[in-house]
């Protein structure tokens, strides 16, 4: 157990819908990263938050957005879902993006868009 | 931005043999290089990492080497066992850029008993 918690584990929804994925970082970690992993693909960086502020943005679609709350949990919002959005979505956390670099991953949310 | 390439994409070895996976990175400012192991449908798990001020690191049967001049790093697994079968990802990050990890494409390792 990495200490990073993601909910839900599985999500099935229809095209055009909107979903919210939730991530609770390890205790003491201030930084949260979101990654997308499509079937048999690598890990694509979406976005990073540090202590409530957006820190870096990767290949995140405009239909996707994220935020980090004062209690440091983060949510990834996916809207106007398309079949191609089906993937595993992972979050990872680390202590401090400018200090300790070790990142630990949650168990992921498997999103299926039908 | 940073680009990480990983080879080979698949690797089949006999149990007990060694496995080597190689990665190259593009940004010379990269200073942290972790390796993750991912079993099917599971989370990536950090198995070993190395920082740019170190050339080699070993932890039991796994070792990582880093060549900063050539901008490449490698994972070595000795005495492979069937439970080593998984997808392995290398990654690189830059401290000044918030430490976001840029991953290689992954190597699917199959250890045959």
């Amino acid at each position: 157990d990495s200490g990073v918690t993601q909910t839900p584990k599985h999500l099935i929804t229809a095209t055009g819908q909107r979903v919210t994925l939730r991530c609770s970082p390890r205790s003491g970690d201030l930084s949260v990263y979101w990654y997308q992993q499509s079937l048999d693909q690598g890990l694509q960086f979406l976005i990073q938050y540090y202590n409530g502020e957006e820190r870096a943005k990767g290949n995140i679609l405009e239909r996707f957005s994220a935020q980090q709350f004062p209690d440091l949990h983060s949510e990834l919002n996916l809207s106007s879902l398309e079949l191609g959005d089906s993937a595993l979505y992972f979050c990872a956390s680390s202590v401090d993006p400018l200090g300790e670099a070790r990142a630990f991953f949650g168990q992921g949310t498997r999103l299926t868009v039908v | 931005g940073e680009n990480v390439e990983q080879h080979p994409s698949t690797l089949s070895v006999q149990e007990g043999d060694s496995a080597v996976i190689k990665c190259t990175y593009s940004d010379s400012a990269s200073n942290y290089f972790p390796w993750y192991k991912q079993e099917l449908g599971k989370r990536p798990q950090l198995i070993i990492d190395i920082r740019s001020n170190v050339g080699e690191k070993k932890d039991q049967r796994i070792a990582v080497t880093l060549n900063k001049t050539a901008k490449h790093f490698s994972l070595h697994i000795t005495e492979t066992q069937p439970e080593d079968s998984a997808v392995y990802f290398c990654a690189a990050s830059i401290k000044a850029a918030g430490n976001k990890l840029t991953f290689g494409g992954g190597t699917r390792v199959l250890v045959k008993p």
Side-chain angles (χ1 to χ4, degrees):
Chain A
D1 184 8
S2 66
V4 181
T5 303
Q6 286 187 249
T7 57
K9 289 184 180 179
H10 303 277
L11 198 49
I12 301 175
T13 189
T15 55
Q17 295 299 303
R18 171 189 169 95
V19 297
T20 297
L21 313 183
R22 181 187 170 103
C23 171
S24 294
R26 293 187 316 159
S27 177
D29 284 0
L30 300 177
S31 195
V32 170
Y33 309 79
W34 285 97
Y35 287 85
Q36 180 192 55
Q37 186 175 40
S38 301
L39 188 64
D40 280 345
Q41 296 294 310
L43 291 149
Q44 299 298 318
F45 171 70
L46 296 177
I47 197 164
Q48 176 198 1
Y49 280 83
Y50 171 66
N51 208 20
E53 300 290 326
E54 183 182 305
R55 183 72 171 80
K57 189 176 272 191
N59 298 322
I60 187 167
L61 300 173
E62 286 190 10
R63 300 184 286 110
F64 296 0
S65 64
Q67 53 185 327
Q68 186 178 29
F69 295 86
D71 67 353
L72 300 177
H73 91 271
S74 178
E75 293 181 355
L76 179 67
N77 301 295
L78 314 176
S79 61
S80 303
L81 285 167
E82 302 175 358
L83 296 178
D85 297 327
S86 296
L88 262 172
Y89 291 85
F90 288 103
C91 81
S93 72
S94 66
V95 172
D96 175 351
L98 296 182
E100 176 58 58
R102 282 185 176 159
F104 295 89
F105 281 77
Q107 78 273 28
T109 293
R110 182 174 294 281
L111 173 66
T112 302
V113 182
V114 297
Chain B
E2 174 70 284
N3 183 51
V4 178
E5 294 193 358
Q6 183 172 347
H7 299 281
S9 57
T10 59
L11 182 59
S12 182
V13 297
Q14 207 65 41
E15 182 178 359
D17 288 349
S18 294
V20 180
I21 304 170
K22 299 182 179 181
C23 291
T24 60
Y25 60 98
S26 60
D27 196 326
S28 57
S30 293
N31 62 307
Y32 174 66
F33 308 90
W35 287 86
Y36 288 83
K37 175 184 180 182
Q38 187 180 31
E39 297 175 358
L40 189 62
K42 301 282 184 67
R43 78 183 83 203
Q45 288 187 296
L46 179 67
I47 56 171
I48 195 168
D49 56 10
I50 191 168
R51 289 177 172 79
S52 58
N53 58 347
V54 176
E56 184 173 356
K57 184 177 179 181
K58 189 173 182 179
D59 182 4
Q60 298 182 0
R61 295 187 298 107
I62 60 174
V64 59
T65 59
L66 171 65
N67 183 327
K68 283 170 39 180
T69 304
K71 291 191 284 188
H72 66 71
F73 55 113
S74 300
L75 177 72
H76 303 252
I77 307 173
T78 59
E79 300 173 18
T80 54
Q81 301 168 4
E83 51 265 38
D84 295 328
S85 297
V87 179
Y88 292 79
F89 290 97
C90 64
S93 71
I94 302 170
K95 183 176 180 178
N99 283 328
K100 73 172 180 70
L101 295 169
T102 300
F103 284 87
T107 297
R108 186 177 301 277
V109 174
L110 174 63
V111 180
K112 296 180 288 186

